[in-house]
Amino acid sequence: MKNFSFYNPVKIIFGKDTIKDIAAEIPAKSKVLVVYGGGSIKKNGVYDQVTKALSSFEWHEFSGIEPNPHYETCMKAVALIKDKKIDFILAVGGGSVVDATKFIVAAACFEDGDPWKILSEGRAIKKALPYGTVLTLSATGSEMNDGAVITRAETQDKLAFSNPLVYPKFSVLDPEVTFSLPPKQIANGIVDSFVHVIEQYLVYSEEDTLMQDLWAESLLKLLTIEGPKALRNPDDYNVRANLMWASSWALNGWVGRGVDQDWATHMIGHEITAFYGLDHAVTLSIVLPGLMTVLKDQKAKKIVRLGKKVFGIEGASDNEIIDRTVKAVEGFFEGLGVKTRLSDYGLGGDAIEVIRKRLNERGWKLGECHNITGDVAAEILDLRR
Ligand code: NZQ
Ligand code: ZN
């Protein structure tokens, strides 16, 4: 196990009817800005619960954060914060709203020119406004981590940053608010959580990280058991509760401490979204089976372990187990209704070349062994036509 430090200061408030508890978490006399997306919270009663809980505060609102949130939109929120002298933000929505809020709270305090540099140049953040979240879609883990992914529409860049200053002060996780998710978003959330664990587990490693491996396998197993149930019985509270808590743990730092990490599936996926607008989880479901195939020698030990421990594949040679495990992962995604081929989304060779060029231009060498260049990404995508 590698040396590591672990720090996660996010207070989680979990369960039914917990949105009202935000009032006790926000410092008295704060001027609050409620940040949300395209309006789902007005249809499912979350907006009403939030505004009721905020009745003793002066509060304002900023809506219109889009999926794969745009830098351009975030900067409008920053202007409003400065204008109204806001001192606490409440993010109400899915990963996009939470990610946007992370960038907004950093950008509002950034004094080193254009805040885009936080993403494009990795410029340091020295300060950020405090914020909390009311999560409405379990998928990204953003409610319990310090990372965010922001898109600049103008240049089709989708870039990530992370900084301990942008951990939420608290996150409210009421599984009941996820009942209103359409099946597509339920499935996306399950795929995203699954791939978050995979990025921190399915690696070449000489390290002995049994504790992290067993945690990771529990999360992956849970997602394969509860995921299909959530689609079959969308009103099952316990299933939603398991998925919501698992998705936070999939990316709150815990399973990845002291282990090598991959993240190439995400980085290639971000480019597909940046150029072609596919949902984040959809891009992951396309890339991962291809990546597992191209890197099967490097990752052999862990792919075999994944096959045996999570998908119950036994009694064959390692090579057969690897092939069957790749198929099992693809079948799991397809079984959730998420199509896993580029052609399912009208994409082919042209898109592969665009992504090859972008990654080669960036000079990125992705993955735990730093060997996935634009050319290797193109090889991966070629298998996913
Ligand atoms: O905008 P509204 O109207 O709220 O509708 C949203 C949106 O259209 C809707 N929705 C959310 N909660 C709902 C609901 N509809 C009905 N009922 C509810 N309870 O769902 C749609 C998708 O929402 P979005 O927030 O975009 O989805 P998700 O949570 O999957 O977030 C995706 C974003 O997170 C980033 C992705 O790249 C992407 O931009 N990620 C962030 C990470 C992080 N910060 O750690 C890690 C992830 O790997 C991921 O990259
Ligand atoms: Zn993700």
Side-chain angles (χ1 to χ4, degrees), residues 180-224:
S180 59
L181 284 168
K184 180 174 103 149
Q185 296 300 346
I186 299 173
N188 279 351
I190 298 158
V191 171
D192 195 20
S193 304
F194 186 89
V195 181
H196 292 158
V197 180
I198 288 283
E199 300 273 27
Q200 303 166 84
Y201 166 82
L202 204 71
V203 292
Y204 168 84
S205 182
E206 295 299 331
E207 307 286 344
D208 178 354
T209 52
L210 184 61
M211 179 172 157
Q212 292 89 331
D213 292 348
L214 292 171
W215 271 93
E217 285 152 7
S218 300
L219 288 166
L220 293 168
K221 189 90 199 157
L222 182 144
L223 291 162
T224 63

Coordinates of all heavy atoms in Angstrom, one line a residue, residues 180-224:
S180 N -38.0 10.8 -8.6 CA -38.5 11.4 -9.8 C -37.6 11.3 -11.0 O -37.8 11.8 -12.1 CB -38.8 12.9 -9.5 OG -37.6 13.5 -9.1
L181 N -36.4 10.7 -10.8 CA -35.5 10.6 -11.9 C -36.0 9.7 -13.0 O -36.6 8.6 -12.8 CB -34.2 9.9 -11.4 CG -33.2 10.7 -10.6 CD1 -32.2 9.9 -10.0 CD2 -32.6 11.8 -11.5
P182 N -35.9 10.1 -14.3 CA -36.2 9.2 -15.4 C -35.3 8.0 -15.5 O -34.1 8.1 -15.0 CB -36.1 10.1 -16.6 CG -35.2 11.3 -16.2 CD -35.3 11.4 -14.7
P183 N -35.8 6.9 -16.0 CA -34.9 5.7 -16.1 C -33.5 6.0 -16.6 O -32.5 5.4 -16.2 CB -35.7 4.7 -17.0 CG -37.1 5.2 -16.9 CD -37.1 6.7 -16.6
K184 N -33.4 6.8 -17.6 CA -32.1 7.1 -18.2 C -31.1 7.6 -17.2 O -30.0 7.3 -17.2 CB -32.3 8.1 -19.4 CG -31.0 8.5 -20.1 CD -31.3 9.4 -21.3 CE -31.0 10.8 -20.9 NZ -30.5 11.6 -22.0
Q185 N -31.6 8.5 -16.3 CA -30.7 9.1 -15.3 C -30.4 8.1 -14.2 O -29.3 8.2 -13.6 CB -31.3 10.4 -14.8 CG -31.4 11.6 -15.8 CD -30.1 12.0 -16.5 OE1 -29.0 11.6 -16.0 NE2 -30.2 12.7 -17.6
I186 N -31.4 7.3 -13.9 CA -31.1 6.2 -12.9 C -29.9 5.4 -13.4 O -29.0 5.1 -12.7 CB -32.3 5.3 -12.6 CG1 -33.5 6.2 -12.1 CG2 -32.0 4.2 -11.7 CD1 -34.8 5.4 -12.0
A187 N -30.1 4.9 -14.7 CA -29.1 4.1 -15.3 C -27.7 4.8 -15.4 O -26.7 4.2 -15.0 CB -29.5 3.6 -16.6
N188 N -27.7 6.0 -15.8 CA -26.5 6.8 -15.9 C -25.8 6.8 -14.5 O -24.6 6.7 -14.5 CB -26.8 8.3 -16.3 CG -27.0 8.4 -17.8 OD1 -26.8 7.5 -18.6 ND2 -27.4 9.6 -18.2
G189 N -26.6 7.0 -13.5 CA -26.0 7.1 -12.1 C -25.3 5.9 -11.7 O -24.2 5.9 -11.1
I190 N -25.9 4.7 -12.1 CA -25.4 3.4 -11.7 C -24.0 3.2 -12.5 O -23.0 2.8 -11.9 CB -26.4 2.3 -12.0 CG1 -27.6 2.5 -11.1 CG2 -25.8 0.9 -11.7 CD1 -28.9 1.8 -11.6
V191 N -24.1 3.5 -13.8 CA -22.9 3.3 -14.6 C -21.7 4.2 -14.1 O -20.6 3.7 -14.0 CB -23.2 3.6 -16.1 CG1 -21.9 3.6 -16.9 CG2 -24.2 2.6 -16.7
D192 N -22.1 5.4 -13.8 CA -21.0 6.4 -13.4 C -20.4 5.9 -12.1 O -19.1 5.8 -12.0 CB -21.6 7.8 -13.2 CG -20.6 8.9 -13.1 OD1 -19.4 8.6 -13.6 OD2 -20.9 10.0 -12.6
S193 N -21.2 5.5 -11.1 CA -20.7 5.0 -9.8 C -19.8 3.8 -10.0 O -18.7 3.7 -9.5 CB -21.8 4.7 -8.9 OG -22.6 5.8 -8.7
F194 N -20.3 2.9 -10.9 CA -19.5 1.7 -11.2 C -18.2 2.0 -11.7 O -17.1 1.5 -11.3 CB -20.3 0.8 -12.2 CG -19.8 -0.6 -12.4 CD1 -20.1 -1.7 -11.7 CD2 -18.9 -0.8 -13.5 CE1 -19.6 -2.9 -11.9 CE2 -18.4 -2.0 -13.7 CZ -18.7 -3.1 -12.9
V195 N -18.1 2.9 -12.7 CA -16.8 3.2 -13.3 C -15.9 4.0 -12.4 O -14.7 3.9 -12.4 CB -17.1 3.9 -14.7 CG1 -15.7 4.2 -15.4 CG2 -17.9 3.1 -15.6
H196 N -16.5 4.8 -11.5 CA -15.6 5.5 -10.5 C -14.9 4.4 -9.7 O -13.7 4.6 -9.4 CB -16.5 6.3 -9.5 CG -17.1 7.5 -10.2 ND1 -18.1 8.2 -9.8 CD2 -16.7 8.1 -11.4 CE1 -18.4 9.2 -10.6 NE2 -17.5 9.2 -11.6
V197 N -15.5 3.4 -9.2 CA -14.8 2.4 -8.5 C -13.8 1.7 -9.3 O -12.7 1.4 -8.9 CB -15.8 1.3 -7.8 CG1 -15.1 0.3 -7.0 CG2 -16.9 2.0 -7.0
I198 N -14.2 1.3 -10.6 CA -13.3 0.6 -11.5 C -12.0 1.4 -11.7 O -10.9 0.9 -11.7 CB -14.0 0.4 -12.8 CG1 -15.1 -0.7 -12.7 CG2 -13.0 0.1 -14.0 CD1 -14.6 -2.1 -12.6
E199 N -12.1 2.7 -11.8 CA -10.9 3.6 -12.1 C -9.9 3.5 -10.9 O -8.8 3.8 -11.1 CB -11.3 5.0 -12.3 CG -12.3 5.3 -13.4 CD -11.7 5.6 -14.7 OE1 -10.6 5.1 -15.0 OE2 -12.3 6.3 -15.6
Q200 N -10.4 3.1 -9.8 CA -9.5 3.1 -8.6 C -9.2 1.6 -8.2 O -8.6 1.4 -7.1 CB -10.2 3.8 -7.4 CG -10.6 5.2 -7.7 CD -11.6 5.8 -6.7 OE1 -11.1 6.3 -5.6 NE2 -12.9 5.7 -7.0
Y201 N -9.6 0.7 -9.0 CA -9.5 -0.7 -8.7 C -8.9 -1.6 -9.8 O -8.0 -2.4 -9.6 CB -10.9 -1.3 -8.3 CG -11.1 -2.8 -8.3 CD1 -10.7 -3.5 -7.1 CD2 -11.6 -3.5 -9.3 CE1 -10.9 -4.8 -7.0 CE2 -11.8 -4.9 -9.3 CZ -11.4 -5.5 -8.1 OH -11.6 -6.9 -8.1
L202 N -9.4 -1.3 -11.0 CA -9.0 -2.2 -12.1 C -7.7 -1.7 -12.8 O -7.6 -1.1 -13.9 CB -10.1 -2.2 -13.2 CG -10.1 -3.4 -14.1 CD1 -10.5 -4.6 -13.4 CD2 -11.0 -3.2 -15.3
V203 N -6.6 -1.8 -12.0 CA -5.3 -1.3 -12.4 C -4.2 -2.3 -12.4 O -4.3 -3.3 -11.7 CB -4.9 -0.1 -11.5 CG1 -5.8 1.1 -11.7 CG2 -4.8 -0.5 -10.0
Y204 N -3.1 -2.0 -13.1 CA -1.9 -2.8 -12.9 C -1.3 -2.3 -11.6 O -1.1 -1.1 -11.4 CB -0.9 -2.5 -14.0 CG 0.5 -3.1 -13.7 CD1 0.7 -4.4 -14.0 CD2 1.5 -2.3 -13.2 CE1 2.0 -5.0 -13.7 CE2 2.7 -2.8 -12.9 CZ 3.0 -4.2 -13.1 OH 4.2 -4.7 -12.8
S205 N -1.0 -3.2 -10.7 CA -0.4 -2.8 -9.5 C 0.4 -3.9 -8.8 O 0.0 -5.1 -8.8 CB -1.4 -2.3 -8.5 OG -0.8 -1.8 -7.3
E206 N 1.6 -3.5 -8.3 CA 2.3 -4.5 -7.5 C 2.0 -4.3 -6.0 O 2.5 -5.1 -5.1 CB 3.8 -4.2 -7.6 CG 4.4 -4.5 -9.1 CD 4.2 -5.9 -9.5 OE1 4.2 -6.8 -8.7 OE2 4.0 -6.1 -10.7
E207 N 1.1 -3.4 -5.7 CA 0.8 -3.1 -4.3 C -0.2 -4.1 -3.8 O -1.0 -4.7 -4.5 CB 0.1 -1.7 -4.2 CG 0.8 -0.6 -4.8 CD 2.1 -0.1 -4.1 OE1 2.2 -0.5 -2.9 OE2 2.9 0.5 -4.6
D208 N -0.1 -4.4 -2.5 CA -1.1 -5.2 -1.8 C -2.1 -4.2 -1.1 O -1.7 -3.6 -0.2 CB -0.4 -6.1 -0.7 CG -1.4 -6.9 0.0 OD1 -2.6 -6.7 -0.2 OD2 -1.0 -7.8 0.9
T209 N -3.3 -4.2 -1.7 CA -4.3 -3.2 -1.1 C -5.6 -4.0 -0.9 O -6.6 -3.6 -1.4 CB -4.5 -2.1 -2.2 OG1 -4.8 -2.7 -3.4 CG2 -3.3 -1.2 -2.3
L210 N -5.4 -5.0 -0.1 CA -6.6 -5.9 0.1 C -7.8 -5.2 0.7 O -8.9 -5.4 0.2 CB -6.2 -7.1 1.0 CG -7.3 -8.1 1.2 CD1 -7.7 -8.8 -0.1 CD2 -6.8 -9.2 2.2
M211 N -7.6 -4.3 1.6 CA -8.7 -3.6 2.2 C -9.5 -2.8 1.2 O -10.7 -2.9 1.0 CB -8.2 -2.7 3.4 CG -9.4 -2.0 4.0 SD -8.9 -1.1 5.4 CE -10.2 0.1 5.5
Q212 N -8.7 -2.0 0.4 CA -9.3 -1.2 -0.6 C -10.0 -2.1 -1.7 O -11.1 -1.8 -2.2 CB -8.3 -0.3 -1.3 CG -7.7 0.8 -0.5 CD -6.5 0.4 0.3 OE1 -6.3 -0.8 0.6 NE2 -5.6 1.3 0.6
D213 N -9.4 -3.2 -2.0 CA -10.0 -4.1 -3.1 C -11.3 -4.7 -2.6 O -12.3 -4.7 -3.3 CB -9.0 -5.3 -3.4 CG -7.8 -4.8 -4.1 OD1 -7.7 -3.6 -4.5 OD2 -6.8 -5.6 -4.2
L214 N -11.3 -5.1 -1.3 CA -12.6 -5.7 -0.8 C -13.7 -4.6 -0.7 O -14.8 -4.9 -1.0 CB -12.3 -6.3 0.6 CG -11.4 -7.6 0.5 CD1 -11.1 -8.0 1.9 CD2 -12.1 -8.7 -0.2
W215 N -13.3 -3.4 -0.3 CA -14.3 -2.3 -0.3 C -14.8 -2.1 -1.7 O -16.0 -1.9 -1.9 CB -13.7 -1.0 0.2 CG -13.8 -0.8 1.7 CD1 -12.8 -1.2 2.6 CD2 -14.9 -0.3 2.4 NE1 -13.3 -0.9 3.9 CE2 -14.5 -0.3 3.8 CE3 -16.1 0.3 2.1 CZ2 -15.3 0.2 4.8 CZ3 -16.9 0.8 3.1 CH2 -16.5 0.7 4.4
A216 N -13.9 -2.0 -2.7 CA -14.3 -1.7 -4.0 C -15.2 -2.8 -4.6 O -16.2 -2.5 -5.2 CB -13.0 -1.6 -4.9
E217 N -14.9 -4.1 -4.3 CA -15.7 -5.2 -4.8 C -17.1 -5.1 -4.1 O -18.1 -5.4 -4.8 CB -15.0 -6.5 -4.5 CG -13.8 -6.7 -5.4 CD -12.7 -7.6 -4.9 OE1 -12.9 -8.2 -3.8 OE2 -11.7 -7.7 -5.5
S218 N -17.2 -4.7 -2.9 CA -18.5 -4.6 -2.2 C -19.3 -3.6 -2.9 O -20.5 -3.8 -3.2 CB -18.4 -4.2 -0.8 OG -17.6 -5.1 -0.1
L219 N -18.7 -2.4 -3.3 CA -19.5 -1.4 -3.9 C -19.9 -1.8 -5.3 O -21.1 -1.6 -5.7 CB -18.6 -0.1 -4.0 CG -18.4 0.7 -2.7 CD1 -17.3 1.7 -2.9 CD2 -19.7 1.3 -2.3
L220 N -19.0 -2.5 -6.1 CA -19.3 -2.9 -7.4 C -20.4 -4.0 -7.4 O -21.4 -3.9 -8.2 CB -18.1 -3.5 -8.1 CG -16.9 -2.5 -8.4 CD1 -15.7 -3.3 -8.8 CD2 -17.3 -1.6 -9.5
K221 N -20.3 -4.9 -6.4 CA -21.4 -5.9 -6.3 C -22.7 -5.3 -6.0 O -23.7 -5.6 -6.5 CB -20.9 -6.9 -5.2 CG -21.7 -8.1 -5.0 CD -21.2 -9.2 -5.9 CE -22.2 -10.3 -6.0 NZ -22.1 -11.1 -7.2
L222 N -22.7 -4.3 -5.0 CA -23.9 -3.7 -4.7 C -24.6 -3.0 -5.9 O -25.8 -3.1 -6.1 CB -23.6 -2.6 -3.6 CG -24.9 -1.9 -3.1 CD1 -24.7 -1.6 -1.6 CD2 -25.2 -0.6 -3.9
L223 N -23.8 -2.4 -6.7 CA -24.3 -1.7 -7.9 C -24.9 -2.7 -8.9 O -26.0 -2.4 -9.5 CB -23.2 -0.9 -8.6 CG -22.8 0.3 -7.7 CD1 -21.4 0.9 -8.2 CD2 -23.8 1.4 -7.8
T224 N -24.3 -3.9 -9.0 CA -24.9 -4.9 -9.9 C -26.2 -5.5 -9.3 O -27.0 -5.9 -10.1 CB -23.9 -6.0 -10.2 OG1 -23.6 -6.7 -9.0 CG2 -22.6 -5.5 -10.9

